[in-house]
Amino acid sequence: MAVRDIIKLPDKRLRLVSEPIKHIDGDIRALVDDMFETMYKAPGIGLAAIQIGIPKRVIILDLSKKEGDHKPQVFINAEVTWASSEKSKYEEGCLSIPEYYEEVERPAEVKVKYLDLDGKAHETEVKGLLATCLQHEIDHINGVLFIDYISKLKRDRVIKKFSKAAKKVEE
Ligand code: NI
C-alpha cells in the first residue's frame, strides 16, 4: 500500500471521463488499497481514482466519524439510476480543491447501481450525507466538480486562486 499524490485544481485530468472497470483483478484491489490509505491520510471521507490521476471508475467512501472505527465502502462503475425531485443542501469540499467549501444543492435521494470489490452487482437507494457524497464522487468519474454548481463568479474566483498557487509551485 502507498499514499499517492492527490491532483488538484486546475489539473486538466480532473475533467476526464473515467473508464469502466471490465475485470476486478489484483491491480484494482491494489488501487483501492492505495486510495484508502491516501484518503485516510488526507484526511477525507470520499475519493475517486481520478483524484490520484487514474481515470478508472472506482470510488471509495468512509463516512464514519470516529477514529479507529472505519467503515470503508467501495463503488465500482457507479451510476445514478434515479434521483428524487426533492433537493437538499450540504456544504461540500473536495480533496482536489483543498480548504474551499460551498453549499451545493443536489437531489436529496438517489438510486445508485454499482459493483462491489467482489464484482457483485448492487442497486441501492441512499439519502442524506451518503447521497450527497456518492453524487459528488460519481461526478468526479464523469469529469464534473462541485464548483460547477456554484455561481460563475465564485467558480472563476476559486479557479484563479488555485491556478496562481499551481504557478507558484512551478516557479
Ligand atoms: Ni471531490
Side-chain angles (χ1 to χ4, degrees):
M1 300 223 294
V3 172
R4 310 265 199 113
D5 286 333
I6 295 175
I7 62 173
K8 300 196 172 69
L9 198 70
D11 194 308
K12 286 192 174 66
R13 289 172 290 176
L14 290 169
R15 294 307 189 176
L16 290 176
V17 175
S18 294
E19 294 287 331
I21 304 298
K22 291 197 187 93
H23 305 285
I24 299 168
D25 54 17
D27 287 349
I28 297 298
R29 282 173 227 278
L31 170 65
V32 167
D33 283 348
D34 283 0
M35 286 172 67
F36 274 113
E37 201 171 339
T38 304
M39 183 183 77
Y40 288 136
K41 173 140 190 285
I45 57 173
L47 192 73
I50 190 58
Q51 291 181 273
I52 56 167
I54 311 288
K56 294 188 180 211
R57 300 181 86 81
V58 178
I59 288 167
I60 61 163
L61 290 180
D62 190 334
L63 306 187
S64 62
K65 291 271 154 60
K66 276 180 271 167
E67 186 95 16
D69 180 29
H70 288 165
K71 288 195 179 67
Q73 291 182 278
V74 180
F75 302 87
I76 312 266
N77 297 346
E79 55 179 294
V80 174
T81 55
W82 172 84
S84 65
S85 49
E86 190 200 329
K87 310 277 185 202
S88 66
K89 273 187 190 167
Y90 275 97
E91 190 172 74
E92 295 190 23
C94 182
L95 293 174
S96 295
I97 314 172
E99 285 162 53
Y100 184 77
Y101 305 92
E102 276 294 337
E103 209 165 62
V104 174
E105 190 181 78
R106 297 180 185 271
E109 290 184 46
V110 286
K111 254 189 209 167
V112 175
K113 208 170 91 175
Y114 67 97
L115 301 177
D116 64 25
L117 210 44
D118 296 318
K120 200 174 156 216
H122 300 265
E123 188 162 24
T124 179
E125 201 167 325
V126 294
K127 58 184 177 182
L129 182 63
L130 179 57
T132 288
C133 290
L134 255 181
Q135 289 175 80
H136 176 118
E137 300 307 332
I138 291 171
D139 273 352
H140 271 302
I141 61 177
N142 290 320
V144 175
L145 298 170
F146 83 92
I147 55 169
D148 298 347
Y149 300 104
I150 66 178
S151 74
K152 187 177 184 307
L153 185 76
K154 282 182 178 171
R155 183 168 59 250
D156 288 348
R157 206 181 282 156
V158 66
I159 291 171
K160 203 172 156 189
K161 189 183 141 196
F162 277 85
S163 301
K164 262 191 190 164
K167 253 196 178 153
K168 262 199 186 139
V169 172
E170 274 170 29
E171 279 167 12

